[in-house]
Amino acid sequence: MTSLTDPLHSKAPTMSRALVTLFAFCCGAIVANIYYAQPIIELIAPDIGLSAHSASLIVSLTQVGYALGLFFLVPLADLVENRKLMLATALLATLSLVGAAISHEPLTFLLVSLLIGFSSVSVQMLIPLAAHLASEESRGRVVGSIMGGLLLGILLARPLSSLIADWLGWRAVFIAAAVAMVLIMWVMAATVPARTPDHSASYGQLLRSLGTLFSRYGALRQRAFYQGLMFAAFSLFWTAVPLELSRQHGLSQSQIAIFALVGAIGAIAAPIAGRLADAGHTRRASLVAMVLAPLSFTTALVHPAFSVIGLALTGVLLDFAVQMNMVLGQRTIYSLDPASRGRLNALYMTSIFIGGAVGSAIASSLYEQGGWGLVVKVGVAIPLVALVAFLVNERGRARELA
């Protein structure tokens, strides 16, 4: 383990390939906690007494909890020793997952879902830590590689959850997740370098500084707005599509798992985006991502005989667009103020997961009211707003430079 921690004692920040891989693995395994419930809400809801209209609250409350954790816990990464903080949040996540596995009442399960999201934010402490350790010229590549692991965790959580639930029941999903968190805690304790920030401010001062940072950096506000909308479309699709696949196409949980695996192809966008950002192509790549997101939903226009293939194409293209835009945004905000990366990341990711919570919350209602057609219309409209805002901001920027 010495070779992994030695770089911290050198003057130049360093991220070895082994450490990048470990960070990516930990991020993917932890972030998966907030997505395990997404494809199996139709199994969980009747078992705990939730209606079909309220089922998506399970997903949205988990994301609300994640947003709260981002806002209240992640800023502590700029104040206290990072590894201890991550281990504490991972322990809370483990206990919350066990709580979900043994819950039988809707209110209890929804509260535990909130806690699962709240306690799974250590991934957003690992990523700024990696940015601190990486050199300036490789920061985009390092962040992109780690985000690739995180995004694989997001995308693989759904098929893994569906498979386990199909064979062992939905409660086994949360038991398995708790066991995985115990393993992750051991990995983090053994391999993640210690880092004590230089800040001497109090926790209250740190939280108050979030407003100052948000108002100071226009790039942060813009990137948070774009990605919040993109992630709303992402969450809308992945919360609603299991309903469409099971009800209209008769797919089992195992078949839905195979479908979700196809979406994991989109995770290749993260390292690609990191390299594009390092090469100075952030704006062009952002435009591509924000055009691709609304276009991805148009695959719903394919012949009904090929509609499952069309849905799979939407999943791949939408995942690719959303993941690319997320990494491009992170690369941008990490360059704004190195001493405040934890808080900048907290603000950025909080905005994203508020968008994701909204997308998840409306998914069930949209589907119940208007079927897949209404989901597609809203799915197109949401990222189009981001695209228009991006074009307006870029035009304003061009005028300032002229």
Side-chain angles (χ1 to χ4, degrees):
M1 301 304 171
T2 306
S3 60
L4 293 178
T5 56
D6 280 347
L8 277 176
H9 301 291
S10 62
K11 293 183 179 180
T14 303
M15 278 292 288
S16 67
R17 184 171 297 180
L19 198 53
V20 170
T21 302
L22 284 167
F23 273 40
F25 171 74
C26 291
C27 282
I30 296 169
V31 80
N33 292 337
I34 61 177
Y35 292 95
Y36 287 131
Q38 199 169 56
I40 57 174
I41 55 173
E42 285 207 310
L43 299 179
I44 299 172
D47 200 19
I48 62 172
L50 272 178
S51 67
H53 280 275
S54 302
S56 61
L57 278 175
I58 295 170
V59 180
S60 59
L61 278 176
T62 305
Q63 292 179 325
V64 167
Y66 195 74
L68 290 172
L70 287 166
F71 191 84
F72 289 105
L73 291 182
V74 172
L76 284 170
D78 286 337
L79 186 62
V80 302
E81 201 280 303
N82 287 190
R83 183 170 57 192
K84 291 180 180 178
L85 180 61
M86 287 185 280
L87 288 171
T89 57
L91 176 60
L92 180 57
T94 304
L95 297 175
S96 301
L97 289 163
V98 172
I102 62 176
S103 295
H104 292 275
E105 300 294 328
L107 186 59
T108 303
F109 190 89
L110 291 175
L111 177 61
V112 172
S113 296
L114 191 73
L115 282 174
I116 289 172
F118 183 76
S119 58
S120 296
V121 294
S122 51
V123 295
Q124 302 304 334
M125 302 169 193
L126 275 168
I127 297 169
L129 176 58
H132 277 291
L133 296 173
S135 61
E136 177 63 31
E137 61 272 14
S138 68
R139 186 165 293 129
R141 177 184 57 79
V142 168
V143 171
S145 296
I146 294 171
M147 283 299 296
L150 181 145
L151 300 170
L152 273 176
I154 293 174
L155 297 170
L156 293 178
R158 291 186 291 262
L160 184 61
S161 173
S162 294
L163 283 171
I164 294 174
D166 204 23
W167 288 93
L168 301 173
W170 68 264
R171 295 182 188 278
V173 173
F174 294 97
I175 293 172
V179 172
M181 284 304 299
V182 172
L183 172 63
I184 291 302
M185 289 172 63
W186 177 81
V187 171
M188 288 198 299
T191 62
V192 173
R195 173 184 174 264
T196 302
D198 296 330
H199 281 282
S200 58
S202 68
Y203 178 62
Q205 290 172 325
L206 209 62
L207 288 182
R208 286 192 293 272
S209 71
L210 292 172
T212 303
L213 290 170
F214 196 73
S215 62
R216 180 184 300 165
Y217 296 113
L220 170 63
R221 295 193 301 274
Q222 291 167 9
R223 281 287 163 185
F225 181 72
Y226 304 153
Q227 192 60 20
L229 290 169
M230 295 279 278
F231 206 67
F234 175 92
S235 295
L236 170 65
F237 174 82
W238 283 108
T239 304
V241 77
L243 305 177
E244 174 72 1
L245 291 171
S246 62
R247 296 186 190 180
Q248 300 302 320
H249 301 284
L251 270 63
S252 68
Q253 286 297 320
S254 294
Q255 290 169 326
I256 291 173
I258 295 171
F259 177 92
L261 275 174
V262 175
I265 297 171
I268 64 172
I272 292 173
R275 284 168 171 77
L276 287 172
D278 284 342
H281 302 305
T282 296
R283 289 183 176 83
R284 290 179 183 176
S286 297
L287 179 61
V288 170
M290 281 183 257
V291 169
L292 185 59
L295 284 178
S296 67
F297 281 92
T298 61
T299 60
L301 303 176
V302 301
H303 191 278
F306 304 102
S307 55
V308 173
I309 296 175
L311 290 172
L313 283 173
T314 297
V316 171
L317 296 175
L318 181 62
D319 287 1
F320 188 93
V322 172
Q323 316 313 353
M324 174 175 281
N325 201 62
M326 181 182 288
V327 174
L328 292 167
Q330 282 181 306
R331 179 65 171 84
T332 298
I333 67 166
Y334 287 160
S335 65
L336 296 175
D337 183 359
S340 303
R341 283 191 182 122
R343 284 167 291 161
L344 291 170
N345 192 58
L347 289 166
Y348 179 63
M349 298 305 297
T350 299
S351 302
I352 291 171
F353 277 87
I354 288 173
V358 171
S360 298
I362 64 176
S364 293
S365 295
L366 288 176
Y367 189 82
E368 297 294 336
Q369 292 171 16
W372 190 250
L374 184 56
V375 171
V376 167
K377 290 175 184 176
V378 176
V380 169
I382 293 173
L384 269 180
V385 174
L387 175 60
V388 171
F390 175 77
L391 293 174
V392 169
N393 287 330
E394 286 301 296
R395 181 176 295 179
R397 180 178 173 277
R399 287 175 179 171
E400 289 177 2
L401 294 175

